[in-house]
């Protein structure tokens, strides 16, 4: 395997270096939009180079589930980063019509990388639960109800993220101090091996973070697609359209209707009773209690006066009773403190 890797090594190393360089340029890019043609052109070039390199790694069988980390040559360790770089570049594609496809593809790349690292014992981490295999699901205890996360689980998740962030910063500092000697060729094999292992551990943290973000975005996209495909829910019967009311003159009784109608032949007249009856049939108002038709103005005024007199009599009677009650409890001269009157 080492001989085959040495024969094809330069070509494979060049493809990896090209893909990584393009990714680093995209990360440091100051382009205002990630959808700019120059940006997306670099994304396509980087993906093409990394895919070709990944195919070559598979053909050469550089990595196997049956070998230990010590059996992997130091120069070959850097090729373990190929799936992670593929996932990172896949996420930089901006075609919205294929966003879900890109997210799922990036998730597969990150998952491939994490499984490869776990097989070689690189780092202690747990794969996201949504991507666990069926065998792992059968061997693990029954999970809790996902709809009700416990406070302990939430605290553990938060503390794990904080710890991952701290480890990532430490790894970046170590890599920065070692990169110059490795890139210049002055580092020995042990330093080169440590450098590549640190890079792998850094990308483990990055991959876990990216997979969490991917899962959250996929949930949103799936909910949106389900809402678009769901049939419209049953709705109540449509409210009947009201017939527009034509202009008319509202009169007190039929006699006034005849008078006003004579003066305005082009404008219909309607009594109050007719108007209420029409609105009642349309279901707009209920029939009110009204004065019987044919009642003259004099009779209405007389009834109103009698009602007012009755109300006045009741008021006068109430005041007289109140006065009698007050005199019973207050003797004559009560309150005259200055001998007046």
């Amino acid at each position: 395997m080492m001989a085959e890797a040495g024969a094809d090594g330069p070509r494979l190393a060049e493809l990896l270096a090209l893909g990584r360089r393009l990714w680093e340029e995209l990360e440091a890019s100051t382009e205002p939009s990630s959808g700019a043609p120059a940006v997306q052109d670099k994304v396509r070039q980087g993906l093409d180079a990394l895919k070709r390199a990944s195919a070559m790694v598979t053909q050469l069988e550089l990595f196997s589930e049956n070998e230990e980390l010590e059996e992997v040559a130091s120069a070959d360790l850097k090729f373990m980063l190929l799936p992670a770089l593929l996932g990172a570049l896949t996420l930089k594609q901006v075609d919205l019509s294929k966003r879900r496809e890109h997210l799922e593809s990036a998730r597969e790349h990150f998952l491939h990388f994490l499984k490869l690292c776990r097989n070689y014992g690189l780092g202690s981490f747990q794969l996201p639960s949504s991507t666990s295999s069926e065998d792992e699901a059968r061997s693990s205890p029954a999970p809790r109800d996902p709809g009700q996360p416990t406070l302990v689980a939430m605290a553990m998740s938060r503390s794990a993220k904080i710890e991952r962030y701290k480890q990532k910063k430490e790894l970046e500092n170590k890599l920065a101090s070692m990169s110059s000697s490795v890139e210049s060729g002055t580092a020995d094999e042990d330093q080169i091996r440590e450098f590549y292992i640190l890079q792998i551990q850094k990308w483990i943290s990055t991959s876990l973070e990216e997979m969490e973000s991917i899962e959250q975005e996929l949930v949103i996209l799936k909910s949106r697609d389900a809402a678009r495909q769901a049939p419209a829910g049953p709705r109540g019967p449509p409210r009947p359209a009201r017939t527009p009311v034509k202009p008319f003159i509202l009169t007190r009784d039929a006699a006034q209707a005849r008078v006003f109608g004579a003066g305005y032949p082009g404008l219909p007249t309607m009594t109050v009773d007719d108007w209420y009856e029409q609105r009642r049939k349309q279901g707009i108002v209920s029939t009110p209690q009204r004065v019987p038709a044919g009642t003259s103005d004099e009779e209405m005024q007389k009834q109103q006066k009698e009602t007012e007199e009755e109300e006045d009599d009741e008021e006068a009677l109430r005041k007289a009773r109140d006065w009698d009650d007050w005199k019973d409890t207050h003797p004559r001269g009560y309150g005259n403190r200055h001998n007046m009157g």
Side-chain angles (χ1 to χ4, degrees):
M1 181 175 65
M2 285 296 299
E4 293 178 1
D8 292 342
R11 177 71 182 268
L12 177 57
E14 289 173 4
L15 291 172
L16 173 62
L18 175 60
R20 181 159 191 166
R21 178 177 60 80
L22 290 172
W23 174 80
E24 291 174 349
E25 290 178 2
L26 290 169
E27 285 291 290
S29 175
T30 57
E31 285 284 346
S33 173
S34 58
V39 173
Q40 289 303 302
D41 187 53
K42 287 185 177 181
V43 172
R44 286 189 291 270
Q45 290 181 23
L47 285 173
D48 179 67
L50 294 176
K51 287 177 181 178
R52 290 170 59 191
S54 181
M56 294 176 66
V57 168
T58 302
Q59 183 179 5
L60 293 171
E61 297 181 351
L62 289 183
F63 308 109
S64 172
E65 296 181 358
N66 301 321
E67 64 180 356
E68 301 293 333
L69 181 63
E70 290 76 11
E71 301 177 51
V72 180
S74 299
D76 292 344
L77 286 174
K78 58 179 176 290
F79 299 118
M80 294 181 68
L81 296 174
L82 279 169
L85 291 170
L86 275 170
L89 274 177
T90 301
L91 289 178
K92 292 189 177 295
Q93 298 178 100
V94 295
D95 188 350
L96 295 180
S97 63
K98 298 181 178 180
R99 182 57 181 173
R100 184 171 175 178
E101 176 184 340
H102 293 159
L103 289 172
E104 292 175 347
S105 177
R107 180 176 60 181
E108 290 300 318
H109 288 310
F110 286 127
L111 182 61
H112 178 201
F113 169 71
L114 291 173
K115 286 183 176 181
L116 182 64
C117 294
R118 191 176 64 175
N119 289 338
Y120 282 101
L122 287 165
S124 57
F125 58 91
Q126 185 176 1
L127 292 176
S129 58
S130 59
T131 56
S132 299
S133 63
E134 295 181 0
D135 294 339
E136 292 172 343
R138 284 194 295 266
S139 61
S140 62
R144 292 181 179 268
D145 182 6
Q148 299 182 1
T150 63
L151 293 176
V152 175
M154 294 171 64
M156 291 178 62
S157 176
R158 183 174 181 273
S159 61
K161 290 180 180 179
I162 295 174
E163 185 63 26
R164 265 206 319 262
Y165 177 79
K166 292 180 180 179
Q167 291 177 357
K168 187 176 180 180
K169 287 300 178 182
E170 292 177 0
L171 290 172
E172 289 176 351
N173 293 334
K174 289 181 180 179
L175 288 169
S177 62
M178 297 177 65
S179 60
S180 58
S181 60
V182 174
E183 293 173 359
S184 63
T186 58
D188 57 26
E189 183 176 352
D190 291 339
Q191 291 175 328
I192 293 173
R193 190 175 188 85
E194 182 184 2
F195 180 77
Y196 289 146
I197 290 177
L198 290 175
Q199 281 190 332
I200 292 170
Q201 291 174 343
K202 176 196 168 186
W203 273 97
I204 288 174
S205 179
T206 301
S207 299
L208 291 171
E209 293 173 358
E210 293 292 358
M211 288 193 70
E212 289 179 1
S213 300
I214 289 172
E215 292 299 329
Q216 294 173 1
E217 188 173 351
L218 281 174
V219 169
I220 296 174
L221 292 179
K222 290 175 181 177
S223 300
R224 185 195 65 183
D225 295 342
R228 288 178 177 177
Q229 297 175 1
R235 296 183 178 180
R239 183 177 298 179
R242 294 180 178 178
T243 305
V245 180
K246 296 180 180 180
F248 62 91
I249 296 177
L250 186 63
T251 63
R252 181 176 297 172
D253 50 30
Q256 285 188 356
R258 287 193 296 270
V259 173
F260 283 104
Y264 301 91
L267 193 63
T269 58
M270 184 182 299
T271 66
V272 175
D273 291 330
D274 293 338
W275 181 81
Y276 269 99
E277 181 63 21
Q278 184 188 72
R279 305 292 278 181
R280 185 187 65 78
K281 290 180 178 179
Q282 294 177 354
I284 300 175
V285 296
S286 59
T287 304
Q289 297 294 329
R290 294 190 43 78
V291 178
T295 304
S296 64
D297 292 344
E298 294 179 357
E299 293 177 353
M300 292 178 63
Q301 292 176 1
K302 184 178 180 181
Q303 292 176 2
Q304 184 176 1
K305 185 176 181 181
E306 291 176 355
T307 303
E308 292 176 354
E309 290 176 354
E310 291 176 358
E311 293 176 354
D312 292 341
D313 291 343
E314 293 177 359
E315 181 66 18
L317 180 60
R318 186 184 63 80
K319 289 182 178 180
R321 288 175 177 173
D322 292 342
W323 175 248
D324 290 339
D325 294 339
W326 190 87
K327 288 194 298 182
D328 292 341
T329 57
H330 298 77
R332 183 180 180 83
Y334 176 81
N336 188 359
R337 301 303 183 190
H338 301 283
N339 198 22
M340 297 175 60

mmCIF file of all heavy atoms in Angstrom, residues 161-185:
data_model
loop_
_atom_site.group_PDB
_atom_site.id
_atom_site.type_symbol
_atom_site.label_atom_id
_atom_site.label_comp_id
_atom_site.label_asym_id
_atom_site.label_seq_id
_atom_site.Cartn_x
_atom_site.Cartn_y
_atom_site.Cartn_z
ATOM 1 N N LYS A 161 -20.436 21.506 24.394
ATOM 2 C CA LYS A 161 -20.104 22.517 23.382
ATOM 3 C C LYS A 161 -19.012 23.455 23.879
ATOM 4 O O LYS A 161 -18.100 23.816 23.130
ATOM 5 C CB LYS A 161 -21.362 23.312 23.022
ATOM 6 C CG LYS A 161 -22.396 22.516 22.250
ATOM 7 C CD LYS A 161 -23.610 23.378 21.937
ATOM 8 C CE LYS A 161 -24.648 22.575 21.172
ATOM 9 N NZ LYS A 161 -25.865 23.391 20.866
ATOM 10 N N ILE A 162 -19.108 23.841 25.130
ATOM 11 C CA ILE A 162 -18.090 24.725 25.685
ATOM 12 C C ILE A 162 -16.732 24.032 25.710
ATOM 13 O O ILE A 162 -15.701 24.620 25.363
ATOM 14 C CB ILE A 162 -18.501 25.175 27.106
ATOM 15 C CG1 ILE A 162 -19.761 26.033 27.036
ATOM 16 C CG2 ILE A 162 -17.369 25.930 27.779
ATOM 17 C CD1 ILE A 162 -20.320 26.399 28.398
ATOM 18 N N GLU A 163 -16.723 22.763 26.112
ATOM 19 C CA GLU A 163 -15.469 22.013 26.155
ATOM 20 C C GLU A 163 -14.885 21.832 24.755
ATOM 21 O O GLU A 163 -13.665 21.936 24.563
ATOM 22 C CB GLU A 163 -15.720 20.646 26.801
ATOM 23 C CG GLU A 163 -14.469 19.823 27.020
ATOM 24 C CD GLU A 163 -13.495 20.478 27.972
ATOM 25 O OE1 GLU A 163 -13.946 21.280 28.822
ATOM 26 O OE2 GLU A 163 -12.278 20.191 27.870
ATOM 27 N N ARG A 164 -15.767 21.569 23.776
ATOM 28 C CA ARG A 164 -15.293 21.432 22.395
ATOM 29 C C ARG A 164 -14.672 22.729 21.896
ATOM 30 O O ARG A 164 -13.657 22.718 21.191
ATOM 31 C CB ARG A 164 -16.464 21.044 21.485
ATOM 32 C CG ARG A 164 -16.590 19.559 21.249
ATOM 33 C CD ARG A 164 -17.269 19.218 19.938
ATOM 34 N NE ARG A 164 -18.406 20.035 19.611
ATOM 35 C CZ ARG A 164 -19.675 19.709 19.826
ATOM 36 N NH1 ARG A 164 -19.962 18.580 20.446
ATOM 37 N NH2 ARG A 164 -20.664 20.496 19.455
ATOM 38 N N TYR A 165 -15.291 23.840 22.250
ATOM 39 C CA TYR A 165 -14.767 25.141 21.817
ATOM 40 C C TYR A 165 -13.384 25.393 22.411
ATOM 41 O O TYR A 165 -12.466 25.846 21.716
ATOM 42 C CB TYR A 165 -15.741 26.241 22.235
ATOM 43 C CG TYR A 165 -15.262 27.634 21.908
ATOM 44 C CD1 TYR A 165 -15.378 28.140 20.613
ATOM 45 C CD2 TYR A 165 -14.678 28.438 22.891
ATOM 46 C CE1 TYR A 165 -14.928 29.422 20.315
ATOM 47 C CE2 TYR A 165 -14.227 29.715 22.593
ATOM 48 C CZ TYR A 165 -14.358 30.202 21.302
ATOM 49 O OH TYR A 165 -13.910 31.463 21.009
ATOM 50 N N LYS A 166 -13.223 25.082 23.697
ATOM 51 C CA LYS A 166 -11.917 25.267 24.326
ATOM 52 C C LYS A 166 -10.846 24.385 23.683
ATOM 53 O O LYS A 166 -9.728 24.837 23.415
ATOM 54 C CB LYS A 166 -12.019 24.948 25.832
ATOM 55 C CG LYS A 166 -12.853 25.947 26.619
ATOM 56 C CD LYS A 166 -12.898 25.556 28.085
ATOM 57 C CE LYS A 166 -13.720 26.545 28.901
ATOM 58 N NZ LYS A 166 -13.784 26.145 30.329
ATOM 59 N N GLN A 167 -11.193 23.116 23.433
ATOM 60 C CA GLN A 167 -10.235 22.205 22.809
ATOM 61 C C GLN A 167 -9.856 22.675 21.403
ATOM 62 O O GLN A 167 -8.693 22.575 21.000
ATOM 63 C CB GLN A 167 -10.827 20.803 22.758
ATOM 64 C CG GLN A 167 -10.976 20.138 24.115
ATOM 65 C CD GLN A 167 -11.626 18.771 24.021
ATOM 66 O OE1 GLN A 167 -12.020 18.328 22.938
ATOM 67 N NE2 GLN A 167 -11.756 18.096 25.161
ATOM 68 N N LYS A 168 -10.844 23.200 20.686
ATOM 69 C CA LYS A 168 -10.570 23.664 19.330
ATOM 70 C C LYS A 168 -9.599 24.835 19.339
ATOM 71 O O LYS A 168 -8.684 24.911 18.506
ATOM 72 C CB LYS A 168 -11.883 24.069 18.656
ATOM 73 C CG LYS A 168 -11.744 24.416 17.188
ATOM 74 C CD LYS A 168 -13.099 24.711 16.578
ATOM 75 C CE LYS A 168 -12.972 25.065 15.105
ATOM 76 N NZ LYS A 168 -14.298 25.359 14.493
ATOM 77 N N LYS A 169 -9.760 25.746 20.283
ATOM 78 C CA LYS A 169 -8.849 26.885 20.373
ATOM 79 C C LYS A 169 -7.440 26.429 20.739
ATOM 80 O O LYS A 169 -6.443 26.940 20.193
ATOM 81 C CB LYS A 169 -9.372 27.883 21.410
ATOM 82 C CG LYS A 169 -10.593 28.665 20.948
ATOM 83 C CD LYS A 169 -10.271 29.465 19.696
ATOM 84 C CE LYS A 169 -11.463 30.227 19.178
ATOM 85 N NZ LYS A 169 -11.133 30.970 17.927
ATOM 86 N N GLU A 170 -7.341 25.485 21.643
ATOM 87 C CA GLU A 170 -6.029 24.959 22.005
ATOM 88 C C GLU A 170 -5.350 24.285 20.814
ATOM 89 O O GLU A 170 -4.143 24.456 20.585
ATOM 90 C CB GLU A 170 -6.170 23.974 23.158
ATOM 91 C CG GLU A 170 -6.595 24.611 24.475
ATOM 92 C CD GLU A 170 -6.795 23.593 25.577
ATOM 93 O OE1 GLU A 170 -6.598 22.385 25.284
ATOM 94 O OE2 GLU A 170 -7.139 23.977 26.706
ATOM 95 N N LEU A 171 -6.130 23.517 20.056
ATOM 96 C CA LEU A 171 -5.573 22.853 18.878
ATOM 97 C C LEU A 171 -5.112 23.866 17.837
ATOM 98 O O LEU A 171 -4.056 23.692 17.210
ATOM 99 C CB LEU A 171 -6.632 21.920 18.271
ATOM 100 C CG LEU A 171 -6.977 20.677 19.084
ATOM 101 C CD1 LEU A 171 -8.171 19.953 18.467
ATOM 102 C CD2 LEU A 171 -5.784 19.736 19.165
ATOM 103 N N GLU A 172 -5.885 24.926 17.638
ATOM 104 C CA GLU A 172 -5.487 25.949 16.671
ATOM 105 C C GLU A 172 -4.187 26.625 17.075
ATOM 106 O O GLU A 172 -3.339 26.919 16.222
ATOM 107 C CB GLU A 172 -6.613 26.979 16.524
ATOM 108 C CG GLU A 172 -7.844 26.444 15.792
ATOM 109 C CD GLU A 172 -8.972 27.452 15.759
ATOM 110 O OE1 GLU A 172 -8.859 28.497 16.453
ATOM 111 O OE2 GLU A 172 -9.972 27.216 15.060
ATOM 112 N N ASN A 173 -4.028 26.875 18.356
ATOM 113 C CA ASN A 173 -2.777 27.497 18.825
ATOM 114 C C ASN A 173 -1.588 26.568 18.613
ATOM 115 O O ASN A 173 -0.501 27.014 18.191
ATOM 116 C CB ASN A 173 -2.904 27.858 20.308
ATOM 117 C CG ASN A 173 -3.925 28.963 20.550
ATOM 118 O OD1 ASN A 173 -4.193 29.782 19.668
ATOM 119 N ND2 ASN A 173 -4.502 28.985 21.751
ATOM 120 N N LYS A 174 -1.765 25.280 18.902
ATOM 121 C CA LYS A 174 -0.676 24.320 18.689
ATOM 122 C C LYS A 174 -0.329 24.202 17.209
ATOM 123 O O LYS A 174 0.858 24.159 16.841
ATOM 124 C CB LYS A 174 -1.069 22.954 19.235
ATOM 125 C CG LYS A 174 -1.130 22.884 20.755
ATOM 126 C CD LYS A 174 -1.496 21.477 21.211
ATOM 127 C CE LYS A 174 -1.573 21.388 22.723
ATOM 128 N NZ LYS A 174 -1.953 20.016 23.183
ATOM 129 N N LEU A 175 -1.345 24.143 16.369
ATOM 130 C CA LEU A 175 -1.105 24.028 14.930
ATOM 131 C C LEU A 175 -0.388 25.258 14.387
ATOM 132 O O LEU A 175 0.484 25.146 13.510
ATOM 133 C CB LEU A 175 -2.443 23.830 14.198
ATOM 134 C CG LEU A 175 -3.095 22.459 14.374
ATOM 135 C CD1 LEU A 175 -4.520 22.462 13.829
ATOM 136 C CD2 LEU A 175 -2.279 21.378 13.672
ATOM 137 N N ALA A 176 -0.743 26.425 14.878
ATOM 138 C CA ALA A 176 -0.095 27.652 14.414
ATOM 139 C C ALA A 176 1.394 27.657 14.761
ATOM 140 O O ALA A 176 2.233 28.138 13.986
ATOM 141 C CB ALA A 176 -0.790 28.862 15.030
ATOM 142 N N SER A 177 1.737 27.105 15.917
ATOM 143 C CA SER A 177 3.147 27.087 16.331
ATOM 144 C C SER A 177 3.962 26.023 15.595
ATOM 145 O O SER A 177 5.192 26.140 15.489
ATOM 146 C CB SER A 177 3.242 26.835 17.839
ATOM 147 O OG SER A 177 2.691 25.563 18.168
ATOM 148 N N MET A 178 3.272 24.996 15.041
ATOM 149 C CA MET A 178 3.981 23.900 14.375
ATOM 150 C C MET A 178 3.957 24.011 12.851
ATOM 151 O O MET A 178 4.733 23.338 12.169
ATOM 152 C CB MET A 178 3.358 22.559 14.772
ATOM 153 C CG MET A 178 3.461 22.233 16.251
ATOM 154 S SD MET A 178 2.620 20.673 16.650
ATOM 155 C CE MET A 178 3.624 19.507 15.722
ATOM 156 N N SER A 179 3.044 24.818 12.295
ATOM 157 C CA SER A 179 2.850 24.813 10.843
ATOM 158 C C SER A 179 4.093 25.247 10.070
ATOM 159 O O SER A 179 4.404 24.693 9.013
ATOM 160 C CB SER A 179 1.684 25.736 10.474
ATOM 161 O OG SER A 179 1.950 27.061 10.910
ATOM 162 N N SER A 180 4.829 26.230 10.590
ATOM 163 C CA SER A 180 5.991 26.745 9.838
ATOM 164 C C SER A 180 7.046 25.674 9.642
ATOM 165 O O SER A 180 7.610 25.515 8.551
ATOM 166 C CB SER A 180 6.591 27.948 10.568
ATOM 167 O OG SER A 180 6.974 27.576 11.895
ATOM 168 N N SER A 181 7.331 24.894 10.677
ATOM 169 C CA SER A 181 8.367 23.860 10.558
ATOM 170 C C SER A 181 7.907 22.718 9.652
ATOM 171 O O SER A 181 8.713 22.164 8.886
ATOM 172 C CB SER A 181 8.734 23.317 11.945
ATOM 173 O OG SER A 181 7.592 22.745 12.569
ATOM 174 N N VAL A 182 6.621 22.379 9.707
ATOM 175 C CA VAL A 182 6.124 21.295 8.858
ATOM 176 C C VAL A 182 6.115 21.723 7.390
ATOM 177 O O VAL A 182 6.546 20.976 6.495
ATOM 178 C CB VAL A 182 4.719 20.861 9.311
ATOM 179 C CG1 VAL A 182 4.126 19.837 8.339
ATOM 180 C CG2 VAL A 182 4.761 20.285 10.717
ATOM 181 N N GLU A 183 5.620 22.937 7.127
ATOM 182 C CA GLU A 183 5.551 23.397 5.735
ATOM 183 C C GLU A 183 6.929 23.657 5.137
ATOM 184 O O GLU A 183 7.130 23.506 3.933
ATOM 185 C CB GLU A 183 4.698 24.669 5.671
ATOM 186 C CG GLU A 183 3.222 24.424 6.000
ATOM 187 C CD GLU A 183 2.431 25.711 6.098
ATOM 188 O OE1 GLU A 183 3.065 26.788 5.929
ATOM 189 O OE2 GLU A 183 1.219 25.652 6.332
ATOM 190 N N SER A 184 7.888 24.027 5.975
ATOM 191 C CA SER A 184 9.247 24.279 5.461
ATOM 192 C C SER A 184 10.053 22.998 5.279
ATOM 193 O O SER A 184 11.121 23.010 4.655
ATOM 194 C CB SER A 184 9.996 25.220 6.416
ATOM 195 O OG SER A 184 10.158 24.616 7.690
ATOM 196 N N GLY A 185 9.549 21.870 5.829
ATOM 197 C CA GLY A 185 10.232 20.596 5.687
ATOM 198 C C GLY A 185 11.293 20.342 6.725
ATOM 199 O O GLY A 185 12.078 19.388 6.592
#
